[in-house]
Amino acid sequence: GQQLNQSPQSMFIQEGEDVSMNCTSSSIFNTWLWYKQDPGEGPVLLIALYKAGELTSNGRLTAQFGITRKDSFLNISASIPSDVGIYFCAGQGQASGTYKYIFGTGTRLKVLA
Amino acid sequence: GAVVSQHPSWVICKSGTSVKIECRSLDFQATTMFWYRQFPKQSLMLMATSNEGSKATYEQGVEKDKFLINHASLTLSTLTVTSAHPEDSSFYICSARELAGKETQYFGPGTRLLVL
């Protein structure tokens, strides 16, 4: 199935550092969602974006819906050990079909204390 | 709010048996539920879209006779893996689209299936 390009694929960072990751597509999307998945569990919704240019925060997390509607960004400020996990973006639009989402390849984050 | 449960959380079965997985939206109504499959260290792959009261829509390459989906109510969808084989071993996750409110999906905790 189709997947979105997500980068970086993985990253090791020191506790307290800021983290940035992004998701890009060749198609335009109407909605972007960001999820975090811990091992052996289902993804948990972090942030939902519905409008081009929209910037939304959830605690230390901030996500943006790209102006071109083909990309989205997620930033984590002052990372802590519990931020460890896999982060997935998901886009919904004509390319994915009504109500369906295409998921990114994931960014695996590891935080060094 | 927006809690989705799955049962069982893990199951081990013999090759050739059928396994049923339940997905429930606990505090909201979901006309549409989705079933995903996830292999280790990979992303989620959509298997099918389940609509309440109608037949499920399967993604290309997913055998509908192998993976039977029933969406009998606004809060329950089931996935039955029929005549399971070792290659069906995987992590199966459902999600539910909330009827009211903004467009989003909430995921269940997943079901790990191991077929011996």
Side-chain angles (χ1 to χ4, degrees):
Chain A
Q2 187 179 354
Q3 288 185 324
L4 301 175
N5 294 320
Q6 200 171 331
S7 66
Q9 191 173 11
S10 64
M11 54 195 313
F12 286 84
I13 60 166
Q14 292 286 339
E15 184 177 358
E17 287 184 352
D18 296 344
V19 175
S20 291
M21 60 190 79
N22 68 76
C23 206
T24 59
S25 169
S26 57
S27 305
I28 289 173
F29 288 113
N30 302 318
T31 302
W32 284 96
L33 305 178
W34 283 91
Y35 292 90
K36 176 176 184 269
Q37 185 178 28
D38 291 326
E41 297 183 17
V44 174
L45 182 65
L46 299 174
I47 293 178
L49 302 162
Y50 301 103
K51 198 167 139 184
E54 180 181 352
L55 187 71
T56 299
S57 294
N58 177 7
R60 293 179 296 106
L61 278 62
T62 302
Q64 185 164 24
F65 194 138
I67 290 291
T68 65
R69 294 170 61 193
K70 293 183 178 181
D71 55 12
S72 181
F73 308 87
L74 176 69
N75 295 312
I76 305 173
S77 62
S79 58
I80 59 178
S82 61
D83 290 334
V84 166
I86 304 175
Y87 292 80
F88 289 105
C89 62
Q92 186 276 325
Q94 193 170 7
S96 65
T98 305
Y99 307 142
K100 296 196 292 187
Y101 285 82
I102 299 174
F103 279 79
T105 47
T107 293
R108 191 177 297 269
L109 179 64
K110 298 184 181 180
V111 180
L112 305 173
Chain B
V3 179
V4 177
S5 70
Q6 267 182 256
H7 179 79
S9 56
W10 59 270
V11 57
I12 302 174
C13 69
K14 291 183 179 178
S15 187
T17 60
S18 294
V19 175
K20 181 188 280 190
I21 303 170
E22 291 187 351
C23 177
R24 293 181 186 271
S25 55
L26 298 185
D27 52 1
F28 66 99
Q29 291 184 325
T31 53
T32 306
M33 291 184 172
F34 305 87
W35 287 95
Y36 294 82
R37 186 172 179 177
Q38 187 178 36
F39 291 104
K41 296 188 178 182
Q42 292 190 24
S43 187
L44 293 85
M45 299 303 295
L46 180 65
M47 298 174 64
T49 302
S50 166
N51 292 298
E52 185 263 337
S54 63
K55 288 184 179 179
T57 304
Y58 291 82
E59 295 299 301
Q60 193 172 9
V62 178
E63 299 176 60
K64 62 180 181 180
D65 295 330
K66 174 76 171 175
F67 300 99
L68 299 179
I69 292 172
N70 183 273
H71 193 154
S73 76
L74 287 174
T75 60
L76 173 64
S77 175
T78 61
L79 168 68
T80 301
V81 183
T82 62
S83 186
H85 291 284
E87 58 265 29
D88 297 324
S89 299
S90 191
F91 192 50
Y92 292 88
I93 317 174
C94 72
S95 70
R97 173 180 173 264
E98 193 171 7
L99 181 60
K102 288 192 172 182
E103 182 62 45
T104 190
Q105 285 189 28
Y106 298 98
F107 281 88
T111 296
R112 187 161 300 284
L113 170 64
L114 177 60
V115 184
L116 303 176

Coordinates of all heavy atoms in Angstrom, one line a residue, chain B residues 26-83:
Chain B
L26 N -16.0 2.8 23.0 CA -16.6 2.7 24.3 C -17.4 4.0 24.7 O -18.4 3.8 25.4 CB -15.5 2.5 25.4 CG -14.7 1.2 25.3 CD1 -13.8 1.1 26.5 CD2 -15.6 0.0 25.2
D27 N -17.0 5.1 24.2 CA -17.8 6.3 24.7 C -18.2 7.2 23.5 O -18.5 8.4 23.7 CB -16.9 7.1 25.7 CG -15.5 7.4 25.1 OD1 -15.2 7.0 24.0 OD2 -14.7 8.0 25.8
F28 N -18.2 6.6 22.3 CA -18.7 7.4 21.2 C -19.2 6.4 20.1 O -18.9 5.2 20.1 CB -17.6 8.3 20.6 CG -16.4 7.6 19.9 CD1 -16.4 7.4 18.6 CD2 -15.4 7.1 20.7 CE1 -15.3 6.7 18.0 CE2 -14.3 6.4 20.2 CZ -14.3 6.2 18.8
Q29 N -20.0 7.0 19.2 CA -20.5 6.2 18.1 C -19.6 6.3 16.9 O -19.1 7.3 16.5 CB -21.9 6.6 17.7 CG -22.9 6.3 18.8 CD -24.3 6.7 18.4 OE1 -24.6 7.7 17.7 NE2 -25.3 5.9 18.9
A30 N -19.4 5.1 16.2 CA -18.5 5.1 15.1 C -19.2 4.4 13.9 O -19.4 3.2 13.9 CB -17.2 4.4 15.4
T31 N -19.6 5.2 12.9 CA -20.2 4.5 11.7 C -19.2 3.8 10.9 O -19.5 2.9 10.2 CB -20.9 5.6 10.9 OG1 -20.0 6.6 10.5 CG2 -22.1 6.2 11.5
T32 N -17.9 4.3 11.0 CA -16.9 3.7 10.3 C -15.7 3.2 11.2 O -15.3 4.0 12.0 CB -16.3 4.7 9.2 OG1 -17.4 5.2 8.4 CG2 -15.3 4.0 8.3
M33 N -15.3 2.0 11.0 CA -14.2 1.5 11.7 C -13.2 0.9 10.7 O -13.6 0.5 9.6 CB -14.6 0.4 12.7 CG -15.3 1.0 13.9 SD -15.7 -0.3 15.1 CE -16.4 0.6 16.4
F34 N -11.9 0.9 11.0 CA -10.9 0.5 10.1 C -10.1 -0.7 10.8 O -9.9 -0.6 12.0 CB -10.0 1.6 9.8 CG -10.7 2.8 9.2 CD1 -11.2 3.8 10.1 CD2 -10.8 3.0 7.8 CE1 -11.8 4.9 9.5 CE2 -11.5 4.1 7.3 CZ -12.0 5.0 8.2
W35 N -9.6 -1.6 9.9 CA -8.8 -2.6 10.4 C -7.4 -2.5 9.7 O -7.3 -2.5 8.5 CB -9.4 -4.0 10.2 CG -10.5 -4.3 11.1 CD1 -11.9 -4.1 10.8 CD2 -10.5 -4.8 12.4 NE1 -12.6 -4.4 11.9 CE2 -11.8 -4.9 12.9 CE3 -9.4 -5.2 13.2 CZ2 -12.1 -5.3 14.2 CZ3 -9.7 -5.7 14.5 CH2 -11.1 -5.7 15.0
Y36 N -6.4 -2.5 10.6 CA -5.0 -2.4 10.1 C -4.2 -3.7 10.5 O -4.5 -4.3 11.5 CB -4.3 -1.2 10.7 CG -4.9 0.1 10.3 CD1 -6.0 0.7 10.9 CD2 -4.3 0.9 9.3 CE1 -6.5 1.9 10.5 CE2 -4.7 2.1 8.9 CZ -5.9 2.6 9.5 OH -6.4 3.9 9.1
R37 N -3.1 -3.9 9.8 CA -2.2 -4.9 10.1 C -0.8 -4.3 10.2 O -0.5 -3.4 9.4 CB -2.2 -6.0 9.1 CG -1.4 -7.2 9.4 CD -1.7 -8.3 8.3 NE -0.9 -9.5 8.6 CZ -0.9 -10.6 7.9 NH1 -1.8 -10.7 6.8 NH2 -0.2 -11.6 8.2
Q38 N -0.1 -4.7 11.2 CA 1.3 -4.1 11.4 C 2.3 -5.2 11.6 O 2.2 -6.0 12.6 CB 1.3 -3.1 12.5 CG 2.6 -2.3 12.7 CD 2.5 -1.3 13.8 OE1 1.9 -1.5 14.8 NE2 3.2 -0.2 13.6
F39 N 3.3 -5.2 10.8 CA 4.4 -6.1 11.0 C 5.5 -5.5 11.8 O 5.6 -4.2 11.8 CB 5.0 -6.6 9.6 CG 4.0 -7.5 8.9 CD1 3.3 -7.0 7.8 CD2 3.8 -8.8 9.3 CE1 2.4 -7.8 7.1 CE2 2.9 -9.6 8.6 CZ 2.2 -9.1 7.5
P40 N 6.4 -6.2 12.4 CA 7.4 -5.6 13.3 C 8.2 -4.6 12.6 O 8.7 -4.7 11.5 CB 8.3 -6.8 13.7 CG 7.4 -8.0 13.6 CD 6.4 -7.7 12.4
K41 N 8.4 -3.5 13.3 CA 9.2 -2.3 12.8 C 8.6 -1.7 11.5 O 9.4 -1.1 10.8 CB 10.6 -2.7 12.7 CG 11.2 -3.1 14.0 CD 12.7 -3.3 13.9 CE 13.3 -3.6 15.3 NZ 14.8 -3.8 15.3
Q42 N 7.4 -1.9 11.2 CA 6.8 -1.3 10.0 C 5.6 -0.5 10.4 O 5.1 -0.4 11.5 CB 6.4 -2.4 9.0 CG 7.6 -3.2 8.5 CD 7.2 -4.1 7.3 OE1 6.2 -3.9 6.7 NE2 8.0 -5.1 7.1
S43 N 5.1 0.2 9.4 CA 4.0 1.1 9.6 C 2.7 0.3 9.5 O 2.7 -0.9 9.3 CB 4.0 2.2 8.5 OG 3.0 3.2 8.7
L44 N 1.6 1.1 9.7 CA 0.3 0.4 9.6 C -0.2 0.3 8.2 O -0.1 1.3 7.4 CB -0.7 1.2 10.4 CG -0.5 1.3 11.9 CD1 0.5 2.4 12.3 CD2 -1.8 1.6 12.6
M45 N -0.7 -0.9 7.9 CA -1.3 -1.1 6.5 C -2.8 -1.3 6.7 O -3.2 -2.2 7.3 CB -0.6 -2.3 5.9 CG 0.9 -2.1 5.7 SD 1.4 -0.6 4.8 CE 0.7 -1.0 3.2
L46 N -3.5 -0.5 6.0 CA -5.0 -0.6 6.0 C -5.4 -1.9 5.3 O -5.0 -2.2 4.2 CB -5.6 0.6 5.4 CG -7.2 0.6 5.4 CD1 -7.7 0.7 6.8 CD2 -7.7 1.8 4.6
M47 N -6.2 -2.7 6.0 CA -6.8 -3.9 5.4 C -8.2 -3.7 4.8 O -8.5 -4.1 3.7 CB -6.9 -5.0 6.5 CG -5.6 -5.4 7.1 SD -5.8 -6.6 8.4 CE -6.5 -8.0 7.6
A48 N -9.0 -3.0 5.6 CA -10.4 -2.9 5.2 C -11.1 -1.7 6.0 O -10.7 -1.4 7.1 CB -11.2 -4.2 5.4
T49 N -12.1 -1.2 5.4 CA -13.0 -0.2 6.0 C -14.3 -0.8 6.3 O -14.9 -1.5 5.4 CB -13.1 1.0 5.1 OG1 -11.9 1.5 4.7 CG2 -14.0 2.1 5.7
S50 N -14.7 -0.7 7.5 CA -16.0 -1.3 8.0 C -17.0 -0.3 8.3 O -16.8 0.6 9.1 CB -15.6 -2.1 9.3 OG -16.8 -2.5 10.0
N51 N -18.2 -0.4 7.6 CA -19.2 0.6 7.8 C -20.4 -0.1 8.4 O -20.8 -1.2 8.0 CB -19.7 1.2 6.5 CG -18.6 2.1 5.9 OD1 -18.2 3.1 6.5 ND2 -18.1 1.7 4.7
E52 N -21.0 0.5 9.4 CA -22.1 -0.1 10.2 C -23.3 -0.4 9.2 O -23.7 0.5 8.5 CB -22.5 0.9 11.3 CG -23.6 0.3 12.2 CD -25.0 0.8 11.8 OE1 -25.1 1.8 11.1 OE2 -26.0 0.1 12.2
G53 N -23.7 -1.6 9.3 CA -24.9 -2.1 8.5 C -24.6 -2.4 7.1 O -25.6 -2.7 6.3
S54 N -23.4 -2.3 6.6 CA -23.1 -2.6 5.2 C -21.8 -3.5 5.1 O -21.1 -3.7 6.1 CB -23.0 -1.4 4.4 OG -21.9 -0.6 4.8
K55 N -21.6 -3.9 3.9 CA -20.4 -4.8 3.7 C -19.1 -3.9 3.8 O -19.1 -2.8 3.4 CB -20.5 -5.4 2.3 CG -21.5 -6.5 2.1 CD -21.5 -7.1 0.8 CE -22.5 -8.2 0.7 NZ -22.5 -8.9 -0.7
A56 N -18.1 -4.6 4.3 CA -16.8 -3.9 4.4 C -16.2 -3.8 3.0 O -16.4 -4.5 2.1 CB -15.9 -4.8 5.3
T57 N -15.3 -2.7 2.9 CA -14.5 -2.5 1.7 C -13.1 -2.9 2.0 O -12.5 -2.4 2.9 CB -14.6 -1.0 1.4 OG1 -15.9 -0.6 1.2 CG2 -13.9 -0.8 0.0
Y58 N -12.6 -3.8 1.2 CA -11.2 -4.3 1.4 C -10.2 -3.6 0.5 O -10.5 -3.3 -0.7 CB -11.2 -5.8 1.1 CG -12.0 -6.6 2.1 CD1 -13.4 -6.7 2.0 CD2 -11.4 -7.2 3.2 CE1 -14.1 -7.4 3.0 CE2 -12.1 -8.0 4.1 CZ -13.4 -8.0 4.0 OH -14.1 -8.7 5.0
E59 N -9.0 -3.5 1.0 CA -7.9 -2.9 0.2 C -7.4 -4.0 -0.8 O -7.6 -5.2 -0.6 CB -6.8 -2.4 1.1 CG -7.2 -1.3 2.0 CD -7.6 -0.1 1.3 OE1 -6.8 0.5 0.5 OE2 -8.8 0.4 1.5
Q60 N -6.8 -3.5 -1.8 CA -6.2 -4.4 -2.8 C -5.3 -5.4 -2.2 O -4.4 -5.0 -1.4 CB -5.5 -3.5 -3.9 CG -5.2 -4.3 -5.1 CD -4.7 -3.4 -6.2 OE1 -4.4 -2.2 -6.0 NE2 -4.5 -4.0 -7.4
G61 N -5.4 -6.6 -2.5 CA -4.6 -7.7 -2.0 C -5.0 -8.3 -0.7 O -4.4 -9.3 -0.3
V62 N -6.1 -7.8 -0.1 CA -6.6 -8.4 1.1 C -7.7 -9.3 0.8 O -8.7 -8.9 0.1 CB -7.1 -7.3 2.1 CG1 -7.7 -8.0 3.3 CG2 -5.9 -6.4 2.4
E63 N -7.6 -10.6 1.2 CA -8.7 -11.6 0.8 C -9.9 -11.4 1.7 O -9.8 -11.6 2.9 CB -8.1 -13.0 1.0 CG -6.9 -13.3 0.1 CD -6.4 -14.7 0.5 OE1 -7.2 -15.7 0.4 OE2 -5.2 -14.8 0.9
K64 N -11.0 -11.1 1.1 CA -12.2 -10.9 2.0 C -12.8 -12.1 2.6 O -13.4 -12.1 3.6 CB -13.3 -10.2 1.1 CG -13.8 -11.0 -0.1 CD -14.9 -10.2 -0.8 CE -15.4 -11.0 -2.0 NZ -16.4 -10.2 -2.7
D65 N -12.5 -13.3 1.9 CA -13.0 -14.6 2.5 C -12.1 -15.0 3.6 O -12.4 -15.9 4.4 CB -13.0 -15.6 1.4 CG -14.1 -15.3 0.3 OD1 -15.1 -14.6 0.7 OD2 -13.9 -15.7 -0.8
K66 N -10.9 -14.5 3.6 CA -9.9 -14.8 4.7 C -10.1 -14.0 5.9 O -10.1 -14.5 7.0 CB -8.5 -14.6 4.1 CG -7.4 -14.8 5.1 CD -7.1 -16.2 5.3 CE -5.9 -16.4 6.1 NZ -5.7 -17.9 6.5
F67 N -10.4 -12.7 5.7 CA -10.6 -11.8 6.8 C -12.0 -11.3 6.8 O -12.3 -10.3 6.1 CB -9.6 -10.6 6.7 CG -8.1 -11.0 6.7 CD1 -7.4 -11.2 5.5 CD2 -7.5 -11.3 7.9 CE1 -6.1 -11.6 5.6 CE2 -6.2 -11.7 8.0 CZ -5.5 -11.9 6.8
L68 N -12.9 -11.9 7.5 CA -14.3 -11.6 7.5 C -14.5 -10.4 8.5 O -14.1 -10.5 9.7 CB -15.1 -12.8 7.9 CG -15.0 -14.0 7.0 CD1 -15.9 -15.1 7.5 CD2 -15.4 -13.6 5.6
I69 N -15.2 -9.4 8.0 CA -15.5 -8.3 8.9 C -17.0 -8.1 9.0 O -17.7 -8.1 8.0 CB -14.8 -7.0 8.3 CG1 -13.3 -7.1 8.4 CG2 -15.3 -5.7 9.0 CD1 -12.5 -6.0 7.7
N70 N -17.4 -7.8 10.2 CA -18.8 -7.5 10.5 C -18.9 -6.3 11.4 O -18.2 -6.2 12.4 CB -19.5 -8.7 11.2 CG -20.9 -8.5 11.5 OD1 -21.3 -8.0 12.5 ND2 -21.8 -9.0 10.5
H71 N -19.8 -5.4 11.0 CA -20.0 -4.2 11.8 C -21.5 -4.0 12.1 O -22.2 -3.4 11.4 CB -19.5 -3.0 10.9 CG -19.3 -1.7 11.6 ND1 -18.4 -0.7 11.2 CD2 -19.9 -1.2 12.8 CE1 -18.5 0.3 12.0 NE2 -19.3 0.0 13.0
A72 N -21.9 -4.7 13.2 CA -23.3 -4.9 13.5 C -23.9 -3.7 14.2 O -25.1 -3.5 14.1 CB -23.5 -6.2 14.3
S73 N -23.1 -2.9 14.8 CA -23.7 -1.8 15.5 C -22.7 -0.6 15.4 O -21.6 -0.7 14.9 CB -23.9 -2.1 17.0 OG -22.7 -2.1 17.7
L74 N -23.2 0.6 16.0 CA -22.4 1.8 15.9 C -21.2 1.7 16.8 O -20.4 2.7 16.8 CB -23.2 3.0 16.2 CG -24.2 3.4 15.1 CD1 -25.1 4.5 15.6 CD2 -23.5 3.8 13.8
T75 N -21.1 0.7 17.6 CA -19.9 0.6 18.6 C -19.1 -0.7 18.5 O -18.2 -0.9 19.3 CB -20.5 0.8 20.0 OG1 -21.4 -0.3 20.3 CG2 -21.1 2.1 20.3
L76 N -19.5 -1.5 17.5 CA -18.8 -2.8 17.5 C -18.5 -3.3 16.1 O -19.4 -3.3 15.2 CB -19.6 -3.9 18.2 CG -19.1 -5.3 18.1 CD1 -17.8 -5.5 18.8 CD2 -20.1 -6.3 18.7
S77 N -17.3 -3.6 15.8 CA -16.9 -4.3 14.6 C -16.0 -5.5 14.9 O -15.3 -5.5 15.9 CB -16.0 -3.3 13.7 OG -15.6 -4.0 12.5
T78 N -16.2 -6.6 14.2 CA -15.4 -7.8 14.4 C -14.6 -8.2 13.2 O -15.1 -8.0 12.0 CB -16.2 -8.9 14.9 OG1 -17.2 -9.2 13.8 CG2 -17.0 -8.6 16.2
L79 N -13.4 -8.7 13.4 CA -12.6 -9.2 12.3 C -12.3 -10.7 12.7 O -11.9 -11.0 13.8 CB -11.2 -8.5 12.3 CG -10.1 -9.1 11.4 CD1 -10.5 -9.0 10.0 CD2 -8.8 -8.4 11.7
T80 N -12.7 -11.6 11.7 CA -12.5 -13.0 11.9 C -11.4 -13.5 10.9 O -11.6 -13.3 9.7 CB -13.8 -13.8 11.7 OG1 -14.7 -13.4 12.7 CG2 -13.5 -15.3 12.0
V81 N -10.3 -14.0 11.4 CA -9.3 -14.6 10.6 C -9.7 -16.0 10.4 O -9.6 -16.8 11.4 CB -7.9 -14.4 11.2 CG1 -6.8 -15.0 10.2 CG2 -7.6 -12.9 11.5
T82 N -10.1 -16.4 9.2 CA -10.6 -17.8 9.0 C -9.4 -18.7 8.6 O -8.5 -18.3 7.9 CB -11.7 -17.8 7.9 OG1 -11.1 -17.3 6.7 CG2 -12.8 -16.9 8.3
S83 N -9.5 -19.9 9.1 CA -8.4 -20.9 8.7 C -7.0 -20.3 8.8 O -6.3 -20.2 7.8 CB -8.7 -21.5 7.3 OG -7.8 -22.6 7.0

